[in-house]
Amino acid sequence: MPDIVLRSNDGADHKISASTARLSRTVASLLQDLEASKGEDAELLIVPIPNVCNCTLKKVLDFCEQQRAFDDLVRASPAAQQPEVTRKTQAWRETYMKVSTDELYHLVMAAHYLDVPGLLGLCTDAMADHIRGKSPSQVRACFGLKPNLSPEEEDDIRRSNLWALS
Amino acid sequence: MESQDTLSLRDVRKLLADRLGAPQKAIDDEKKLIASLVDKAIQEHSCEKQASSNLTQQASNICLPPEIWSMIFQGLDLSSGIAAMQVCKSFYETISSSHLYWDPLVGDLMTARFLVPKDYFSKSTFTSFHKLVHDLMLCRDCGAFADWPAGQKICKQCCQGYDAVREGQRYMTKDTAKFVYKLRDSDLVKLRHMRAQNPIYPQFQPMQLYEKIGVRRLAIERWGSIDSMLQSMRPVKQLPTDRADALPKWAPSQLSS
């Protein structure tokens, strides 16, 4: 299978193997359509990814490659070593997810657009970590949101849910 | 593609050391190569910096599609979820409209509060909490959500309905099981049962409720089939003909003893 090139919206190219690219369902379906119409062609494909910037695409491809490597490892290693492999994956993911909120936001959007299943779950978990244990104003500051609830509504929510917070 | 022709600094040094004895032209080529590499590295670095500054500008307004927000909220515990509801309108709408956590059921959780351990709320996620509420708040028999004293497993209507065998019941009392399916106490020992307060006389022994399906299966096992069960009567003491009319036709206590 030939390699393909993913081009981010600021024009940077990333060359990866087609099997890695297929981890993204969006790219996979695109490749499938292409193969159906053209047949197997050996020339280098350039896939433009219009709403993902260079750094984010790099990060996503990082994940795809690592995920592929781990998948291969899991398939190759005997059953006794499986826990070891999963532990390694976990550790890698933890370091991978140490990013700022902005980066995380772009990563979520990219994962959603490219439809990388594992990555999306990982990102939403990390997002939930950002919200957990914070007051509403802290969450607003974290995500740069503007409060648009009226004081009465806010009071109403707080009062109707008082029982859970006591 | 960039990553392939980028050399690390050590590779460059090694190349230089190898070529030290080479003619001047080769060394010049090397220097040019290094210069281009350095230029490229600087360019890349600045490009990345620019991109990350773009990110901070955009982060002032994070807007994700609601389906992603609801995925995020799924991982939250109850109190964080309630705090998140107060953040802004879209958060509130996403959380309150998501059937996953806010069933009409969960709306009446005042009761659940007395049934679960106090620290449960801080530990649980919405989803597992929802499941727990289902377990605690629903009638085990009819599945209705009703008001009842804490600790009871069956709703009032079901509780009072066990004196007769009704359609759609999932449980039956021990006496009914013994009477209808002609079983003995020793047969019923195998089955699991549930205890519930006697609805008529609270001070009496609690009702023992058996699952209908289980009892039916047991009866088929015991009698071979329901038909043969219906045909085979327990040997009842032969009564003198003149006294037979005086007795009630079906007296469960006589039959089962």
Side-chain angles (χ1 to χ4, degrees), chain A residues 102 106 132-133 140 144 148 158, chain B residues 55 58-60 75 87 89:
Chain A
D102 321 330
H106 285 265
R132 195 168 297 134
R140 260 178 238 140
N148 51 5
R158 212 173 297 137
Chain B
L55 284 180
Q58 288 170 3
S60 60
V87 169
K89 238 175 199 160

Side-chain angles (χ1 to χ4, degrees), chain B residues 39-255:
Chain B
D39 279 350
K40 207 173 168 185
I42 289 171
Q43 204 188 342
E44 251 182 39
H45 184 68
S46 62
C47 170
E48 257 180 31
K49 226 178 172 180
Q50 201 187 355
S52 65
S53 69
N54 276 344
L55 284 180
T56 36
Q57 277 167 14
Q58 288 170 3
S60 60
N61 183 23
I62 283 189
C63 49
L64 291 168
E67 66 264 24
I68 291 188
W69 277 124
S70 70
M71 271 177 85
I72 292 166
F73 295 139
Q74 270 177 39
L76 289 180
D77 57 275
L78 195 68
S79 53
S80 299
I82 288 163
M85 275 170 87
Q86 293 165 37
V87 169
C88 69
K89 238 175 199 160
S90 61
F91 271 38
Y92 174 67
E93 274 156 18
T94 313
I95 296 181
S96 55
S97 66
S98 180
H99 69 281
L100 248 179
Y101 344 114
W102 301 110
D103 238 27
L105 251 186
V106 189
D108 197 349
L109 279 176
M110 286 302 283
T111 334
R113 194 176 147 207
F114 301 108
L115 300 179
V116 295
K118 207 176 177 187
D119 57 343
Y120 187 85
F121 289 112
S122 51
K123 284 179 195 159
S124 67
T125 62
F126 267 123
T127 334
S128 64
F129 179 74
H130 191 242
K131 214 178 281 166
L132 179 103
V133 167
H134 262 281
D135 285 353
L136 280 178
M137 308 296 292
L138 298 183
C139 172
R140 297 285 173 85
D141 196 334
C142 63
F145 180 72
D147 54 328
W148 50 27
Q152 285 282 36
K153 293 160 194 154
I154 307 162
C155 72
K156 236 177 225 169
Q157 277 134 341
C158 284
C159 203
Q160 286 168 348
Y162 286 119
D163 52 350
V165 181
R166 291 178 297 130
E167 282 291 316
Q169 256 179 344
R170 283 170 60 207
Y171 286 88
M172 62 203 314
T173 57
K174 195 175 186 179
D175 277 344
T176 328
K178 286 198 291 192
F179 173 60
V180 174
Y181 290 100
K182 302 183 179 111
L183 296 167
R184 290 172 202 275
D185 276 340
S186 53
D187 298 327
L188 286 169
V189 166
K190 293 180 210 164
L191 287 182
R192 287 179 58 199
H193 65 275
M194 183 169 71
R195 278 165 188 278
Q197 200 181 49
N198 190 312
I200 300 153
Y201 304 106
Q203 69 271 29
F204 277 23
Q205 284 288 311
M207 294 193 290
Q208 296 180 32
L209 297 174
Y210 287 84
E211 218 171 342
K212 242 184 188 179
I213 308 169
V215 176
R216 197 180 162 83
R217 206 173 291 146
L218 193 72
I220 291 171
E221 204 177 286
R222 173 87 169 72
W223 295 106
S225 70
I226 294 292
D227 283 340
S228 63
M229 179 196 87
L230 289 173
Q231 280 161 14
S232 61
M233 295 282 130
R234 284 281 168 79
V236 184
K237 224 183 274 171
Q238 197 67 47
L239 295 164
T241 41
D242 56 318
R243 283 189 61 205
D245 296 326
L247 274 170
K249 268 185 183 169
W250 288 104
S253 54
Q254 282 188 2
L255 278 171

Side-chain angles (χ1 to χ4, degrees), chain A residues 65-82:
Chain A
E65 257 157 44
Q66 200 68 26
Q67 185 66 28
R68 232 190 102 60
F70 278 127
D71 281 351
D72 288 346
L73 207 62
V74 165
R75 225 171 291 134
S77 61
Q81 283 176 14
Q82 298 285 359

Side-chain angles (χ1 to χ4, degrees), chain A residues 133-153:
Chain A
K134 279 182 182 164
S135 73
S137 59
Q138 280 169 329
V139 175
R140 260 178 238 140
C142 184
F143 293 117
L145 296 162
K146 286 187 187 69
N148 51 5
L149 286 166
S150 65
E152 290 87 41
E153 281 176 313

